[in-house]
Each structure stands twice: as structure tokens, then as C-alpha cells.
């Protein structure tokens, strides 16, 4: 969305501000059976491109074509990407490739058009997060490490660096400059949950912020530019960091008004931020120029569910919950 023309971004912001929106449920999925007489909800993740929405459901990633009249998705997936023995935790879509990390500790790379795929053992426990840029993969795990992997010819799946984070890694993102990456951790084994690491050496470059409470884990991070990034997590705050100005204090912060953990965030690269809360499927829209939430949408009722992931285009916002995929249509 950061590449959306200015006129389009202004149009979306104006629609959001005036509340012109239609809500729909696009897809529903059943609970996954995990043991006799017990079951659990799925924890989906998704990515969006111009024609398709990619959605993880259990061990697979499914590609759904967006309907040309903007009415939703085609009901049956156009492609299914598999390879994990346990649930997909996170995946990214970059340069016609899908890179996923799973509960089985593996990373799987698929080429979207073609049969090419690579799978390799990455971590001793779940791969909670991955990112992929410039021929390099970064991954973070419950095993308290972050790793850098090569995808260059002859070195595919070779680990270049192992970073000991002293904490479970929940989120990870590569800087647009491709020189460093940021990890968001559980904030239980280290005083700072946000740390930036050098790609070349694997060494720590800086920590972001001070005085985090124990357990203030960072569940999502998002780079807007090489120097601007957003973070959110268990302590209910969205924080906006400008590493040119300060690494000790964020330049802006917004508190979730109902004291809910924030599972995910996205920005349009301009003034608007969308966040997903941990209870009752609450999606909130924020304007960076204001201190309070601009608008809220409650997507799960009566069953409470986190918003595990959200993505938006110039006209629609998609939110993945434990049992369904919802869309907010801002052209309504």
C-alpha cells in the first residue's frame, strides 16, 4: 500500500474518516481437531497482491483470486502450497515467491508459478516469523534464536548467522535498505523486546526503547521506510519509531482503548494505520495526526477471537480471525 498513488490514498482516508463501509464475511473454516474430544481454532496469516489473496489454513497456504468487480473472493483456491507437517505460523510473499515458517521448525520456499520448492530444517521449535528480501531469509523462533539464511545459487538453505536473542522471537522484519533486520521478542528474557541486527555480521546494532515491562512482547513490526517503523504487542500500544531521531524513545504512540493486546498492524505509508486486537475481532483505524482511534469495527460475535492478520488495498481491508476471513469495503 505504500506505493499507492497519493490521490488514491487520500480517497481511502476520506472514506475511512466518514465511515462509509460495508462488512462481509468472505470465508469460514472449521476448527482443527488436535486430540480426542478437543479442538482448536486456526491462527491464519495472509498476504495480498494485485490479483490474489494468499491465506494460510493449517499446514497449507491457499491462493484466492480477487473478484474483478470487488465483491470478494472466488470461493475455491486457484493454488495450494504445501510442505509443512504442522501449521504455518507466518509467511511472506516477495518477488513471485512464498516463504513460510511452520510449527514443525521448517522453512519452505515456493515459486508461485511453477513446481519449484525448497524445504529445510531451520529451528528446534516453531518458526514464529519470517521475512524475505534480496536473496536472504530471516527467521525467528520460539527456540530463542533468529537466523539469516542464504538463497544464492549453491548456498540455498545455508545458515549465515544465528543470533541468540535470549527470548522467544514473535516478529521479524528486514529493513528496506537490506543492511539490517529488527526482531520483536517476548520481553521475558531480555529488557528490550525490539532490537536491530546487522546482516553482514549478525551483531546487535541497537535496542529500541527503554523501561518496557516484563512480558511486553512485540507481536508485529512493520517498516514504512528504512528509518520509520511501527510496532505493537502485548502492552496494548502502537509505537512509531524514527531511528534517525532517537532509539530510546518512539516519536509517537497510541494506546488501545480497551486494554487489549495488539496482534497486528499495517500502514498505508501515509497517515492511516490499521490494528487488530486480541479480543472480539476488533479492527481499529488510526490517523497519525490524531491521538485517539478514528474508527472501530467489531468482527467476531458472539465468539471472541483475535485479529491475527490484516491487509488492505486502496478500497478494502481484509482481516483474518480464528474462524473466518472478513472484509471491510470502503467503497460502499
Amino acid at each position: 500500500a505504500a506505493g499507492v498513488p497519493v490521490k488514491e490514498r487520500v480517497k481511502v482516508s476520506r472514506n475511512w474518516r466518514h465511515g462509509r463501509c460495508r462488512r462481509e464475511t468472505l470465508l469460514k473454516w472449521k476448527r482443527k481437531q488436535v486430540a480426542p474430544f478437543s479442538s482448536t481454532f486456526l491462527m491464519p496469516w495472509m498476504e495480498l497482491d494485485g490479483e490474489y489473496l494468499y491465506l494460510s489454513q493449517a499446514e497449507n497456504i491457499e491462493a484466492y483470486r480477487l473478484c474483478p468487480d470487488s465483491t470478494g473472493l472466488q470461493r475455491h483456491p486457484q493454488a495450494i502450497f504445501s510442505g509443512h507437517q504442522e501449521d504455518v505460523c507466518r509467511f511472506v510473499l516477495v518477488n513471485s515467491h512464498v516463504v513460510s515458517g511452520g510449527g514443525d521448525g521448517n522453512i519452505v520456499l515456493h515459486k508461485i508459478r511453477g513446481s519449484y520448492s525448497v524445504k529445510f530444517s531451520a529451528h528446534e521449535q516453531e518458526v514464529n516469523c519470517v521475512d524475505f528480501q534480496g536473496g536472504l531469509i530471516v527467521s525467528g523462533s520460539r527456540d530463542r534464536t533468529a537466523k539469516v539464511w542464504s538463497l544464492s545459487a549453491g548456498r540455498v538453505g545455508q545458515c549465515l548467522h544465528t543470533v541468540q536473542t535470549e527470548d522467544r522471537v514473535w516478529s521479524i522484519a528486514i529493513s528496506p535498505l537490506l543492511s539490517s533486520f529488527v526482531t520483536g521478542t517476548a520481553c521475558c528474557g531480555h529488557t528490550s523486546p525490539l532490537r536491530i541486527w546487522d546482516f553482514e555480521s549478525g551483531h546487535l546494532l541497537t535496542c529500541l526503547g527503554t523501561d518496557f515491562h516484563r512480558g511486553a512482547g512485540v507481536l508485529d513490526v512493520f517498516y514504512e521506510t528504512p528509518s520509520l517503523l511501527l510496532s505493537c504487542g502485548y502492552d496494548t500500544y502502537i509505537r512509531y519509531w524514527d531511528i534517525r531521531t532517537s532509539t530510546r524513545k518512539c516519536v509517537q504512540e497510541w494506546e488501545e482503548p480497551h486494554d487489549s493486546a495488539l496482534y497486528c498492524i499495517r500502514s498505508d505509508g501515509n497517515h492511516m494505520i490499521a490494528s487488530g486486537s486480541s479480543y472480539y475481532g476488533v479492527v481499529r483505524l488510526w490517523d497519525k495526526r490524531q491521538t485517539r482511534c478514528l474508527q472501530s469495527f467489531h468482527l467476531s460475535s458472539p465468539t471472541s477471537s483475535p485479529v491475527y492478520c490484516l491487509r488492505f488495498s486502496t478500497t478494502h481491508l481484509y482481516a483474518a480471525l480464528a474462524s473466518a476471513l472478513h472484509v471491510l469495503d470502503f467503497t460502499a
Side-chain angles (χ1 to χ4, degrees):
V4 174
V6 172
K7 289 183 179 179
E8 291 295 329
R9 288 187 293 191
V10 170
K11 173 185 175 183
V12 174
S13 300
R14 191 173 296 133
N15 287 355
W16 285 3
R17 182 177 299 279
H18 295 290
R20 289 156 48 195
C21 172
R22 183 181 73 241
R23 168 192 161 188
E24 294 181 34
T25 300
L26 295 183
L27 294 173
K28 292 185 178 181
W29 39 86
K30 296 180 180 179
R31 296 186 187 191
K32 177 187 175 186
Q33 191 76 21
V34 295
F37 309 113
S38 68
S39 60
T40 184
F41 283 112
L42 300 178
M43 298 174 62
W45 196 254
M46 64 180 165
E47 293 288 351
L48 189 66
D49 72 6
E51 298 181 19
Y52 291 90
L53 184 142
Y54 295 79
L55 178 72
S56 67
Q57 296 192 58
E59 300 91 350
N60 297 325
I61 299 168
E62 300 177 351
Y64 292 87
R65 184 184 289 274
L66 300 171
C67 294
D69 56 2
S70 299
T71 57
L73 308 175
Q74 293 186 354
R75 292 297 171 176
H76 299 287
Q78 296 290 302
I80 298 176
F81 304 95
S82 58
H84 290 283
Q85 273 67 57
E86 295 186 31
D87 287 5
V88 173
C89 297
R90 295 278 179 99
F91 71 93
V92 290
L93 172 67
V94 180
N95 296 334
S96 300
H97 290 81
V98 174
V99 177
S100 59
D104 54 7
N106 294 326
I107 290 175
V108 179
L109 167 70
H110 293 283
K111 193 163 187 177
I112 292 176
R113 294 171 181 84
S115 58
Y116 175 81
S117 65
V118 175
K119 175 181 177 180
F120 53 92
S121 178
H123 290 270
E124 295 178 1
Q125 298 184 51
E126 301 101 305
V127 182
N128 290 324
C129 49
V130 293
D131 200 3
F132 169 43
Q133 294 285 346
L136 293 172
I137 295 173
V138 292
S139 61
S141 172
R142 193 181 183 90
D143 68 7
R144 302 186 178 191
T145 67
K147 296 186 179 184
V148 180
W149 306 90
S150 173
L151 287 181
S152 61
R155 304 179 70 187
V156 175
Q158 179 180 338
C159 183
L160 302 179
H161 301 294
T162 297
V163 172
Q164 302 295 333
T165 60
E166 307 170 41
D167 226 338
R168 291 164 292 174
V169 185
W170 294 129
S171 55
I172 202 163
I174 296 173
S175 165
L177 290 180
L178 308 181
S179 59
S180 62
F181 63 96
V182 61
T183 55
T185 59
C187 202
C188 293
H190 193 277
T191 55
S192 176
L194 273 172
R195 282 170 284 173
I196 297 177
W197 309 85
D198 180 63
F199 252 140
E200 188 70 27
S201 65
H203 294 160
L204 178 66
L205 293 176
T206 189
C207 298
L208 297 182
T210 58
D211 301 323
F212 285 97
H213 296 295
R214 180 177 174 82
V218 174
L219 296 175
D220 201 8
V221 287
F222 176 73
Y223 273 102
E224 282 193 336
T225 72
S227 56
L228 297 173
L229 66 151
L230 289 156
S231 66
C232 70
Y234 282 120
D235 69 353
T236 77
Y237 279 91
I238 299 171
R239 291 186 172 88
Y240 195 41
W241 304 89
D242 186 341
I243 59 177
R244 299 165 304 182
T245 303
S246 173
T247 58
R248 294 181 57 82
K249 186 175 178 59
C250 63
V251 292
Q252 282 180 278
E253 64 181 20
W254 300 269
E255 185 177 11
E256 211 288 330
H258 290 168
D259 198 34
S260 296
L262 295 173
Y263 271 53
C264 53
I265 47 171
R266 267 301 180 271
S267 146
D268 70 347
N270 194 26
H271 296 301
M272 306 306 297
I273 301 171
S275 66
S277 302
S278 59
Y279 295 117
Y280 298 105
V282 176
V283 170
R284 298 193 193 278
L285 305 179
W286 309 79
D287 188 322
K288 293 176 188 172
R289 298 163 295 185
Q290 299 183 15
T291 57
R292 294 184 179 182
C293 168
L294 185 66
Q295 200 163 2
S296 300
F297 303 92
H298 295 252
L299 303 182
S300 69
S301 178
T303 304
S304 177
S305 166
V307 179
Y308 289 109
C309 184
L310 52 80
R311 295 289 184 269
F312 55 78
S313 66
T314 57
T315 56
H316 296 79
L317 184 147
Y318 301 88
L321 278 65
S323 58
L325 173 68
H326 300 269
V327 62
L328 301 176
D329 181 354
F330 294 101
T331 65

